[in-house]
Coordinates of all heavy atoms in Angstrom, one line a residue:
M1 N 85.7 97.1 81.6 CA 85.3 97.2 83.1 C 85.1 95.8 83.6 O 84.6 94.9 82.8 CB 84.0 98.0 83.2 CG 83.6 98.5 84.6 SD 84.8 99.7 85.4 CE 84.0 101.2 84.9
Y2 N 85.4 95.5 84.8 CA 85.3 94.3 85.4 C 84.1 94.2 86.2 O 83.5 95.2 86.6 CB 86.5 93.9 86.4 CG 87.8 94.0 85.5 CD1 88.5 95.2 85.1 CD2 88.5 92.8 85.1 CE1 89.7 95.1 84.4 CE2 89.6 92.8 84.4 CZ 90.2 93.9 84.0 OH 91.4 93.9 83.3
A3 N 83.6 93.0 86.5 CA 82.4 92.9 87.4 C 82.9 92.1 88.7 O 83.6 91.1 88.6 CB 81.4 92.0 86.7
Y4 N 82.5 92.7 89.8 CA 82.7 92.0 91.1 C 81.5 91.9 91.9 O 80.6 92.7 91.9 CB 83.7 92.9 91.8 CG 85.1 93.1 91.1 CD1 85.4 94.3 90.4 CD2 85.9 92.1 91.1 CE1 86.5 94.4 89.7 CE2 87.1 92.3 90.3 CZ 87.5 93.4 89.7 OH 88.6 93.6 89.0
D5 N 81.5 90.9 92.8 CA 80.4 90.6 93.7 C 80.6 91.3 95.0 O 79.5 91.6 95.7 CB 80.2 89.2 93.9 CG 79.8 88.5 92.6 OD1 79.0 89.1 92.0 OD2 80.2 87.2 92.4
T6 N 81.7 91.6 95.4 CA 82.0 92.3 96.7 C 83.0 93.3 96.7 O 83.7 93.4 95.7 CB 82.5 91.3 97.8 OG1 83.8 90.8 97.4 CG2 81.6 90.0 97.8
V7 N 83.0 94.2 97.7 CA 84.0 95.3 97.7 C 85.4 94.7 97.9 O 86.3 95.1 97.2 CB 83.6 96.2 99.0 CG1 84.9 97.2 99.3 CG2 82.4 96.9 98.8
T8 N 85.5 93.7 98.6 CA 86.9 93.0 98.7 C 87.4 92.5 97.5 O 88.6 92.7 97.2 CB 86.7 91.8 99.8 OG1 86.3 92.3 101.0 CG2 88.1 91.1 99.9
E9 N 86.5 91.9 96.6 CA 87.0 91.5 95.3 C 87.4 92.6 94.4 O 88.4 92.6 93.6 CB 85.9 90.6 94.6 CG 85.6 89.3 95.1 CD 84.4 88.6 94.5 OE1 83.8 89.1 93.5 OE2 84.1 87.5 94.9
A10 N 86.6 93.8 94.5 CA 87.0 94.9 93.7 C 88.3 95.5 94.0 O 89.2 95.7 93.2 CB 85.8 96.0 93.9
V11 N 88.5 95.7 95.4 CA 89.8 96.1 95.8 C 91.0 95.3 95.3 O 91.9 95.7 94.9 CB 89.8 96.3 97.4 CG1 91.1 96.6 97.9 CG2 88.8 97.4 97.7
A12 N 90.8 94.0 95.5 CA 91.8 93.0 95.1 C 92.1 93.1 93.5 O 93.2 93.0 93.2 CB 91.4 91.5 95.5
G13 N 91.0 93.2 92.8 CA 91.1 93.3 91.4 C 91.9 94.6 91.0 O 92.7 94.6 90.1
L14 N 91.5 95.7 91.6 CA 92.1 96.9 91.3 C 93.7 96.9 91.7 O 94.5 97.4 90.9 CB 91.5 98.1 92.0 CG 90.1 98.6 91.4 CD1 89.4 99.5 92.4 CD2 90.4 99.3 90.0
R15 N 93.9 96.3 92.8 CA 95.4 96.2 93.3 C 96.2 95.4 92.3 O 97.3 95.6 92.0 CB 95.5 95.5 94.7 CG 94.9 96.6 95.8 CD 95.7 96.5 97.0 NE 95.0 97.1 98.1 CZ 95.0 98.5 98.3 NH1 95.6 99.2 97.4 NH2 94.5 99.2 99.3
S16 N 95.6 94.3 91.7 CA 96.3 93.4 90.8 C 96.5 94.2 89.5 O 97.5 93.7 88.8 CB 95.5 92.1 90.5 OG 94.4 92.4 89.7
R17 N 95.9 95.2 89.2 CA 96.0 96.0 88.0 C 96.8 97.4 88.2 O 96.7 98.2 87.4 CB 94.7 96.4 87.4 CG 94.1 95.1 86.7 CD 92.9 95.3 85.8 NE 91.9 96.2 86.3 CZ 90.9 95.8 87.3 NH1 91.0 94.5 87.8 NH2 90.0 96.7 87.7
G18 N 97.5 97.5 89.4 CA 98.3 98.6 89.7 C 97.8 99.7 90.4 O 98.6 100.7 90.7
F19 N 96.7 99.6 91.0 CA 96.1 100.6 91.8 C 96.5 100.2 93.2 O 95.8 99.7 94.1 CB 94.6 100.6 91.8 CG 94.0 101.1 90.4 CD1 93.9 100.2 89.4 CD2 93.8 102.5 90.2 CE1 93.5 100.6 88.1 CE2 93.3 102.9 88.9 CZ 93.2 102.0 87.9
T20 N 97.7 100.6 93.7 CA 98.4 100.1 94.8 C 98.2 101.0 96.1 O 98.4 100.6 97.2 CB 99.8 99.7 94.6 OG1 100.4 101.0 94.1 CG2 99.9 98.6 93.6
E21 N 97.9 102.2 95.9 CA 97.9 103.3 96.9 C 96.4 103.3 97.6 O 95.5 102.9 96.9 CB 98.3 104.6 96.5 CG 99.8 104.6 96.0 CD 100.8 104.1 97.0 OE1 100.6 104.4 98.2 OE2 101.8 103.6 96.6
D22 N 96.3 103.9 98.8 CA 95.1 104.0 99.4 C 94.8 105.6 99.5 O 95.6 106.4 100.0 CB 95.1 103.5 100.8 CG 95.2 102.0 100.7 OD1 94.3 101.4 99.9 OD2 95.8 101.5 101.7
F23 N 93.8 106.0 98.8 CA 93.3 107.4 98.9 C 92.3 107.6 100.1 O 91.5 106.7 100.3 CB 92.7 107.8 97.6 CG 93.7 108.2 96.4 CD1 93.9 107.1 95.5 CD2 94.3 109.3 96.4 CE1 94.7 107.4 94.5 CE2 95.2 109.5 95.3 CZ 95.4 108.6 94.5
N24 N 92.3 108.8 100.7 CA 91.3 109.1 101.7 C 90.8 110.5 101.3 O 91.5 111.3 100.7 CB 92.0 109.2 103.2 CG 92.4 107.9 103.6 OD1 91.7 107.0 103.8 ND2 93.7 107.6 103.7
L25 N 89.6 110.7 101.7 CA 88.9 112.0 101.4 C 89.2 113.1 102.5 O 89.1 112.7 103.8 CB 87.4 111.8 101.4 CG 86.8 111.3 100.1 CD1 85.4 111.0 100.3 CD2 87.0 112.2 99.0
E26 N 89.5 114.2 102.2 CA 89.5 115.3 103.0 C 88.5 116.4 102.5 O 88.0 116.0 101.3 CB 90.8 115.9 103.2 CG 91.7 115.1 104.1 CD 92.9 115.7 104.8 OE1 93.1 116.8 104.5 OE2 93.7 115.0 105.4
E27 N 88.3 117.4 103.1 CA 87.2 118.4 102.6 C 87.4 118.8 101.2 O 86.4 118.7 100.4 CB 87.0 119.5 103.5 CG 85.9 120.4 103.2 CD 85.5 121.5 104.1 OE1 86.1 121.5 105.3 OE2 84.8 122.4 103.8
N28 N 88.5 119.2 100.8 CA 88.7 119.8 99.4 C 89.7 119.0 98.6 O 90.2 119.6 97.6 CB 89.1 121.2 99.6 CG 88.1 122.0 100.1 OD1 86.9 122.0 99.6 ND2 88.3 122.8 101.1
C29 N 90.0 117.7 99.0 CA 91.0 117.1 98.2 C 91.0 115.6 98.6 O 90.3 115.1 99.5 CB 92.4 117.6 98.5 SG 93.0 117.4 100.2
L30 N 91.7 114.8 97.7 CA 92.1 113.4 98.1 C 93.5 113.5 98.7 O 94.3 114.2 98.3 CB 92.0 112.5 96.9 CG 90.7 112.2 96.3 CD1 90.8 111.3 95.1 CD2 89.8 111.6 97.3
V31 N 93.8 112.6 99.7 CA 95.1 112.4 100.3 C 95.6 111.0 100.1 O 94.8 110.1 100.3 CB 95.1 112.8 101.9 CG1 96.3 112.7 102.4 CG2 94.4 114.2 102.0
C32 N 96.9 111.0 99.8 CA 97.6 109.7 99.7 C 99.0 109.9 100.1 O 99.7 110.7 99.5 CB 97.5 109.2 98.3 SG 98.4 107.7 98.0
N33 N 99.5 109.2 101.1 CA 100.9 109.4 101.7 C 101.2 110.8 101.7 O 102.4 111.2 101.2 CB 101.8 108.6 100.7 CG 101.6 107.1 100.6 OD1 101.2 106.6 101.6 ND2 101.8 106.5 99.5
A34 N 100.5 111.6 102.4 CA 100.8 112.9 102.6 C 100.8 113.9 101.5 O 101.0 115.1 101.5 CB 102.1 113.2 103.4
Q35 N 100.4 113.3 100.3 CA 100.3 114.1 99.1 C 98.8 114.5 98.9 O 97.9 113.7 99.3 CB 100.6 113.3 97.8 CG 102.1 113.0 97.8 CD 102.4 112.2 96.4 OE1 102.2 112.7 95.4 NE2 102.9 111.0 96.6
R36 N 98.5 115.7 98.6 CA 97.1 116.2 98.4 C 96.7 116.3 96.9 O 97.6 117.0 96.2 CB 96.9 117.5 99.2 CG 97.1 117.4 100.7 CD 96.8 118.6 101.4 NE 97.0 118.5 102.9 CZ 96.2 117.9 103.6 NH1 95.1 117.5 103.1 NH2 96.4 117.8 104.9
F37 N 95.6 115.9 96.5 CA 95.2 116.1 95.1 C 93.9 116.7 95.0 O 92.9 116.2 95.6 CB 95.1 114.7 94.5 CG 96.4 113.8 94.6 CD1 96.6 113.0 95.6 CD2 97.3 114.0 93.5 CE1 97.8 112.2 95.6 CE2 98.5 113.3 93.5 CZ 98.7 112.4 94.6
S38 N 93.8 117.9 94.4 CA 92.5 118.5 94.3 C 91.8 117.9 93.0 O 92.4 117.0 92.4 CB 92.9 120.1 93.9 OG 93.5 120.1 92.6
A39 N 90.6 118.2 92.8 CA 89.7 117.6 91.8 C 90.4 117.7 90.4 O 90.1 116.6 89.7 CB 88.3 118.3 91.8
D40 N 91.1 118.6 90.1 CA 91.7 118.7 88.7 C 93.0 117.9 88.7 O 93.6 117.8 87.6 CB 91.9 120.2 88.3 CG 92.8 120.9 89.1 OD1 93.2 120.5 90.3 OD2 93.3 121.9 88.7
Q41 N 93.5 117.2 89.7 CA 94.7 116.5 89.8 C 94.5 115.0 89.7 O 95.6 114.3 89.8 CB 95.6 116.9 90.9 CG 96.0 118.4 91.0 CD 96.7 118.8 92.2 OE1 96.2 118.5 93.3 NE2 97.7 119.5 92.0
F42 N 93.4 114.6 89.5 CA 93.2 113.1 89.5 C 92.1 112.8 88.5 O 91.2 113.6 88.2 CB 93.0 112.5 90.8 CG 91.6 112.8 91.4 CD1 90.5 112.0 91.3 CD2 91.5 113.9 92.3 CE1 89.4 112.4 91.8 CE2 90.3 114.3 93.0 CZ 89.2 113.4 92.7
E43 N 91.9 111.5 88.0 CA 91.0 111.1 87.2 C 90.4 109.7 87.7 O 91.1 108.9 88.3 CB 91.4 110.9 85.8 CG 91.8 112.1 85.0 CD 90.7 113.1 84.9 OE1 89.5 112.6 84.7 OE2 90.9 114.3 84.9
I44 N 89.1 109.5 87.7 CA 88.5 108.4 88.1 C 88.6 107.4 86.9 O 87.9 107.6 85.9 CB 87.1 108.5 88.7 CG1 87.1 109.5 89.9 CG2 86.4 107.2 89.0 CD1 85.8 110.0 90.4
E45 N 89.3 106.3 87.0 CA 89.5 105.4 85.9 C 88.5 104.2 86.0 O 88.1 103.7 84.9 CB 90.9 104.9 85.9 CG 91.9 105.9 85.7 CD 93.3 105.5 85.7 OE1 93.6 104.4 85.6 OE2 94.2 106.3 85.7
E46 N 88.2 103.8 87.1 CA 87.2 102.7 87.2 C 86.3 102.9 88.5 O 86.8 103.6 89.5 CB 87.9 101.4 87.5 CG 88.8 100.9 86.3 CD 89.4 99.7 86.5 OE1 88.7 98.6 87.1 OE2 90.6 99.4 86.0
V47 N 85.0 102.5 88.4 CA 84.1 102.7 89.6 C 83.3 101.4 89.6 O 82.7 100.8 88.7 CB 83.0 103.8 89.2 CG1 82.1 103.9 90.4 CG2 83.8 105.1 89.1
Y48 N 83.1 101.0 90.9 CA 82.3 99.7 91.2 C 81.4 100.1 92.4 O 81.9 100.5 93.4 CB 83.2 98.5 91.6 CG 84.1 98.2 90.4 CD1 85.4 98.7 90.6 CD2 83.7 97.5 89.4 CE1 86.3 98.5 89.4 CE2 84.5 97.3 88.3 CZ 85.8 97.8 88.4 OH 86.7 97.5 87.3
R49 N 80.1 100.0 92.1 CA 79.1 100.3 93.2 C 78.4 99.2 93.7 O 78.1 98.1 92.9 CB 78.1 101.2 92.5 CG 77.0 101.7 93.4 CD 76.0 102.5 92.6 NE 74.9 102.9 93.5 CZ 74.0 103.8 93.1 NH1 74.1 104.5 92.1 NH2 73.0 104.0 93.9
F50 N 78.3 99.1 95.1 CA 77.8 98.0 95.7 C 76.6 98.4 96.5 O 76.8 99.3 97.4 CB 78.8 97.2 96.5 CG 80.0 96.8 95.8 CD1 81.1 97.5 95.5 CD2 79.9 95.5 95.2 CE1 82.1 97.0 94.8 CE2 81.0 95.1 94.4 CZ 82.0 95.8 94.2
E51 N 75.4 97.7 96.3 CA 74.3 98.0 97.2 C 74.0 96.9 98.2 O 74.1 95.8 97.8 CB 73.1 98.2 96.2 CG 73.2 99.4 95.4 CD 72.0 99.6 94.5 OE1 70.9 99.2 94.8 OE2 72.1 100.4 93.5
G52 N 73.8 97.2 99.5 CA 73.5 96.2 100.4 C 72.1 95.5 100.2 O 71.2 96.2 99.8
D53 N 72.2 94.2 100.3 CA 70.8 93.4 100.0 C 69.8 93.9 101.0 O 68.6 94.0 100.7 CB 71.1 92.1 100.0 CG 72.0 91.5 98.9 OD1 72.0 92.2 97.8 OD2 72.7 90.5 99.1
S54 N 70.1 93.9 102.3 CA 69.1 94.3 103.3 C 69.5 95.4 104.3 O 68.7 95.9 105.0 CB 68.9 93.0 104.2 OG 70.2 92.7 104.9
D55 N 70.8 95.9 104.2 CA 71.2 97.0 105.1 C 71.6 98.2 104.1 O 72.7 98.0 103.5 CB 72.4 96.4 105.9 CG 72.9 97.4 106.9 OD1 72.3 98.6 106.8 OD2 73.7 97.0 107.6
P56 N 70.9 99.2 104.2 CA 71.5 100.5 103.5 C 72.9 100.8 103.9 O 73.5 101.5 103.2 CB 70.5 101.5 103.9 CG 69.2 100.8 104.2 CD 69.7 99.5 104.9
G57 N 73.2 100.4 105.1 CA 74.6 100.8 105.5 C 75.7 100.1 104.8 O 76.9 100.4 104.9
D58 N 75.4 99.0 104.0 CA 76.4 98.3 103.1 C 76.6 99.0 101.8 O 77.2 98.4 100.9 CB 75.9 96.9 102.9 CG 75.9 96.1 104.2 OD1 76.6 96.5 105.1 OD2 75.2 95.1 104.3
E59 N 76.0 100.2 101.5 CA 76.1 100.8 100.2 C 77.4 101.5 100.1 O 77.7 102.5 100.8 CB 74.9 101.7 100.0 CG 73.6 101.0 99.9 CD 72.4 102.0 99.8 OE1 72.6 103.1 100.1 OE2 71.3 101.4 99.5
M60 N 78.3 101.0 99.2 CA 79.7 101.4 99.0 C 80.0 101.7 97.6 O 79.4 101.0 96.7 CB 80.6 100.4 99.5 CG 80.5 100.1 101.1 SD 80.7 101.4 102.1 CE 82.5 101.7 102.1
V61 N 81.0 102.5 97.3 CA 81.5 102.8 96.0 C 83.0 102.6 96.2 O 83.6 103.1 97.1 CB 81.2 104.1 95.5 CG1 81.8 104.2 94.0 CG2 79.6 104.3 95.5
V62 N 83.6 101.8 95.1 CA 85.1 101.7 95.0 C 85.6 102.4 93.8 O 85.1 102.0 92.8 CB 85.4 100.0 95.1 CG1 86.9 100.0 94.8 CG2 84.9 99.3 96.3
Y63 N 86.4 103.3 93.9 CA 87.0 104.0 92.9 C 88.4 103.6 92.6 O 89.2 103.6 93.6 CB 87.0 105.5 93.1 CG 85.7 106.1 93.5 CD1 85.2 106.3 94.8 CD2 84.9 106.6 92.3 CE1 83.9 106.9 95.1 CE2 83.7 107.3 92.7 CZ 83.3 107.3 93.9 OH 82.0 107.9 94.3
G64 N 88.8 103.4 91.3 CA 90.1 103.3 90.9 C 90.6 104.5 90.4 O 90.0 105.1 89.4
I65 N 91.6 105.1 91.0 CA 92.0 106.6 90.7 C 93.4 106.6 90.3 O 94.2 106.1 90.8 CB 91.8 107.5 92.0 CG1 90.3 107.4 92.4 CG2 92.3 108.8 91.8 CD1 90.0 108.3 93.7
G66 N 93.6 107.5 89.2 CA 94.9 107.9 88.7 C 95.1 109.3 88.9 O 94.3 110.1 88.5
S67 N 96.4 109.7 89.4 CA 96.7 111.1 89.5 C 97.5 111.5 88.4 O 98.0 110.7 87.7 CB 97.4 111.4 90.9 OG 98.8 111.0 90.7
K68 N 97.6 112.9 88.2 CA 98.4 113.3 87.1 C 99.8 113.1 87.3 O 100.6 113.3 86.4 CB 98.0 114.9 86.8 CG 96.5 114.9 86.3 CD 96.2 116.4 85.8 CE 94.8 116.3 85.2 NZ 94.5 117.7 84.8
T69 N 100.2 112.9 88.5 CA 101.7 112.5 88.9 C 102.0 111.2 88.8 O 103.1 110.7 89.1 CB 101.9 113.1 90.2 OG1 101.2 112.4 91.2 CG2 101.8 114.6 90.4
G70 N 101.0 110.3 88.5 CA 101.3 108.9 88.3 C 100.9 108.0 89.4 O 101.1 106.8 89.3
V71 N 100.5 108.6 90.5 CA 100.1 107.8 91.6 C 98.7 107.1 91.3 O 97.8 107.8 90.7 CB 99.8 108.7 93.0 CG1 99.3 107.9 94.1 CG2 101.2 109.3 93.3
K72 N 98.6 105.8 91.5 CA 97.3 105.1 91.2 C 96.9 104.5 92.5 O 97.7 103.7 93.2 CB 97.6 104.1 90.1 CG 97.7 104.6 88.7 CD 98.0 103.6 87.7 CE 96.8 102.9 87.4 NZ 96.8 102.0 86.2
G73 N 95.7 104.5 92.8 CA 95.1 103.9 94.1 C 93.7 103.8 94.1 O 93.0 104.0 93.2
I74 N 93.2 103.5 95.3 CA 91.9 103.2 95.5 C 91.2 104.0 96.6 O 91.9 104.4 97.6 CB 91.7 101.7 96.0 CG1 92.3 100.7 94.9 CG2 90.3 101.3 96.4 CD1 92.6 99.3 95.4
L75 N 90.0 104.5 96.3 CA 89.2 105.1 97.4 C 87.9 104.4 97.5 O 87.2 104.0 96.6 CB 88.8 106.6 96.9 CG 87.8 107.3 97.8 CD1 88.4 107.5 99.1 CD2 87.2 108.5 97.1
V76 N 87.7 103.9 98.8 CA 86.4 103.2 99.1 C 85.6 104.2 99.9 O 86.0 104.7 100.9 CB 86.6 101.9 99.9 CG1 85.4 101.2 100.1 CG2 87.5 101.0 99.1
N77 N 84.2 104.4 99.6 CA 83.4 105.3 100.2 C 82.1 105.0 100.2 O 81.5 104.2 99.3 CB 83.7 106.8 99.5 CG 83.1 107.9 100.4 OD1 83.3 107.9 101.5 ND2 82.5 108.9 99.7
A78 N 81.4 105.3 101.3 CA 79.9 105.1 101.4 C 79.3 106.1 100.4 O 79.8 107.2 100.0 CB 79.4 105.3 102.7
Y79 N 77.9 105.9 100.0 CA 77.3 106.7 99.2 C 75.9 107.0 99.7 O 75.5 106.3 100.6 CB 77.3 106.5 97.7 CG 76.5 105.2 97.3 CD1 75.2 105.3 97.0 CD2 77.1 104.0 97.1 CE1 74.4 104.2 96.6 CE2 76.5 102.9 96.8 CZ 75.0 103.0 96.5 OH 74.3 101.9 96.1
G80 N 75.3 108.0 99.2 CA 73.9 108.3 99.8 C 74.1 109.1 101.0 O 75.0 109.9 101.1
W81 N 73.1 108.8 102.0 CA 73.1 109.6 103.2 C 74.3 109.5 104.0 O 74.7 110.2 104.9 CB 71.8 109.4 103.9 CG 71.7 107.9 104.5 CD1 71.1 106.9 103.7 CD2 72.1 107.4 105.7 NE1 71.2 105.7 104.4 CE2 71.9 106.0 105.6 CE3 72.8 108.0 106.8 CZ2 72.2 105.2 106.8 CZ3 73.0 107.1 107.8 CH2 72.7 105.8 107.8
Q82 N 75.1 108.4 103.8 CA 76.3 108.1 104.7 C 77.5 108.7 104.1 O 78.6 108.6 104.7 CB 76.5 106.5 104.8 CG 75.4 106.0 105.7 CD 75.8 104.6 106.0 OE1 76.1 103.8 105.0 NE2 75.6 104.2 107.2
A83 N 77.5 109.2 103.0 CA 78.8 109.7 102.2 C 79.6 110.7 103.1 O 78.9 111.6 103.8 CB 78.4 110.3 100.9
D84 N 80.8 110.5 103.0 CA 81.7 111.5 103.8 C 81.4 113.0 103.3 O 81.2 113.2 102.2 CB 83.2 111.2 103.6 CG 83.6 109.9 104.4 OD1 83.0 109.5 105.2 OD2 84.6 109.3 103.8
R85 N 81.5 113.9 104.2 CA 81.5 115.2 103.8 C 82.7 115.7 103.0 O 83.7 115.2 103.5 CB 81.3 116.1 105.0 CG 80.0 115.9 105.7 CD 79.9 116.9 106.9 NE 78.7 116.6 107.6 CZ 77.8 117.5 108.2 NH1 78.2 118.7 108.1 NH2 76.7 117.1 108.7
M86 N 82.5 116.4 101.9 CA 83.7 116.8 101.1 C 83.3 118.0 100.4 O 82.2 118.5 100.3 CB 84.0 115.7 100.2 CG 82.9 115.4 99.2 SD 83.1 113.8 98.3 CE 82.3 112.8 99.4
G87 N 84.4 118.7 99.9 CA 84.2 119.9 99.2 C 83.3 119.7 97.9 O 83.2 118.6 97.3
D88 N 82.8 120.8 97.3 CA 81.9 120.7 96.1 C 82.6 120.1 95.0 O 82.1 119.2 94.2 CB 81.3 122.0 95.8 CG 80.3 122.5 96.8 OD1 79.8 121.7 97.6 OD2 80.1 123.8 96.8
A89 N 83.8 120.4 94.6 CA 84.4 120.1 93.4 C 84.7 118.5 93.5 O 84.6 117.8 92.6 CB 85.9 120.7 93.3
I90 N 85.2 118.0 94.7 CA 85.4 116.5 94.8 C 84.2 115.9 94.8 O 84.0 114.9 94.1 CB 86.2 116.3 96.2 CG1 87.6 116.9 96.2 CG2 86.2 114.8 96.4 CD1 88.6 116.4 95.3
A91 N 83.1 116.4 95.5 CA 81.8 115.8 95.5 C 81.3 115.7 94.0 O 80.7 114.5 93.7 CB 80.8 116.5 96.4
K92 N 81.3 116.6 93.3 CA 80.8 116.6 91.9 C 81.5 115.6 91.1 O 81.0 114.8 90.3 CB 81.0 118.0 91.2 CG 79.9 119.0 91.8 CD 80.1 120.3 91.1 CE 79.2 121.3 91.7 NZ 79.5 122.7 91.3
K93 N 82.9 115.5 91.2 CA 83.6 114.6 90.4 C 83.3 113.2 90.7 O 83.1 112.3 89.8 CB 85.2 114.8 90.7 CG 86.0 114.1 89.6 CD 87.3 114.6 89.6 CE 88.2 114.2 88.3 NZ 89.4 115.0 88.0
L94 N 83.2 112.9 92.0 CA 82.9 111.6 92.4 C 81.5 111.1 92.0 O 81.2 110.0 91.7 CB 83.1 111.3 94.0 CG 84.5 111.5 94.5 CD1 84.6 111.4 95.9 CD2 85.5 110.5 93.7
K95 N 80.5 112.0 92.2 CA 79.0 111.8 91.9 C 78.8 111.5 90.4 O 78.1 110.7 90.1 CB 78.3 113.0 92.3 CG 76.9 112.7 92.2 CD 75.9 113.9 92.7 CE 74.5 113.6 92.6 NZ 73.6 114.6 93.1
L96 N 79.6 112.2 89.5 CA 79.5 111.9 88.1 C 79.7 110.4 87.8 O 79.1 109.9 86.8 CB 80.6 112.7 87.4 CG 80.3 114.1 87.2 CD1 81.5 114.9 86.5 CD2 79.1 114.3 86.2
H97 N 80.5 109.7 88.6 CA 80.8 108.3 88.3 C 80.0 107.3 89.1 O 80.3 106.2 88.8 CB 82.3 108.1 88.6 CG 83.2 108.9 87.6 ND1 83.4 108.5 86.3 CD2 83.8 110.2 87.8 CE1 84.1 109.5 85.8 NE2 84.3 110.5 86.6
T98 N 79.0 107.8 89.8 CA 78.3 106.8 90.6 C 76.8 106.6 90.2 O 76.1 105.8 90.6 CB 78.2 107.1 92.1 OG1 77.7 108.4 92.3 CG2 79.6 106.9 92.8
H99 N 76.5 107.3 89.1 CA 75.1 107.1 88.5 C 75.1 106.5 87.1 O 76.0 106.4 86.4 CB 74.4 108.4 88.5 CG 74.3 109.0 89.8 ND1 73.4 108.6 90.7 CD2 74.9 110.0 90.5 CE1 73.4 109.3 91.9 NE2 74.4 110.2 91.7

């Protein structure tokens, strides 16, 4: 695992190691280039958590994600009270990696 001081550094580091796509959350899946991935179709390979020094709004998690079809990419998401709404299976999988 690598150590980063900022979200920007983490994203750049992951991209340099082949996590080139951008994942987005939808209610019951991750989406990348019109492909949909349910919780059992991807693995979280790396996680970097960032806590804001003075602003709770700066709390973010950067995930390095690999799909079973070979797509590798990044999901950046807020955590805590600001986290995006998502289905239970996706929420459980992401939560396992942030504590």
Side-chain angles (χ1 to χ4, degrees):
M1 197 65 95
Y2 297 81
Y4 300 105
D5 293 325
T6 67
V7 170
T8 303
E9 288 176 359
V11 169
L14 286 165
R15 291 217 190 280
S16 74
R17 291 191 311 284
F19 294 87
T20 57
E21 301 298 328
D22 292 317
F23 283 97
N24 293 295
L25 281 171
E26 288 197 2
E27 186 173 344
N28 294 309
C29 62
L30 290 180
V31 178
C32 178
N33 296 329
Q35 295 181 60
R36 297 180 178 282
F37 300 93
S38 63
D40 63 340
Q41 294 175 312
F42 69 89
E43 293 300 324
I44 297 170
E45 298 180 15
E46 298 184 36
V47 178
Y48 303 97
R49 181 176 171 169
F50 299 91
E51 296 184 18
D53 292 333
S54 61
D55 181 1
D58 292 338
E59 297 176 341
M60 302 293 289
V61 181
V62 178
Y63 299 94
I65 296 174
S67 77
K68 292 187 177 179
T69 60
V71 175
K72 289 180 74 170
I74 298 167
L75 171 66
V76 179
N77 196 39
Y79 67 87
W81 63 272
Q82 290 187 313
D84 289 339
R85 292 180 183 218
M86 63 193 90
D88 288 340
I90 298 291
K92 286 178 186 174
K93 190 160 196 169
L94 297 178
K95 186 176 180 180
L96 281 174
H97 295 278
T98 59
H99 296 287

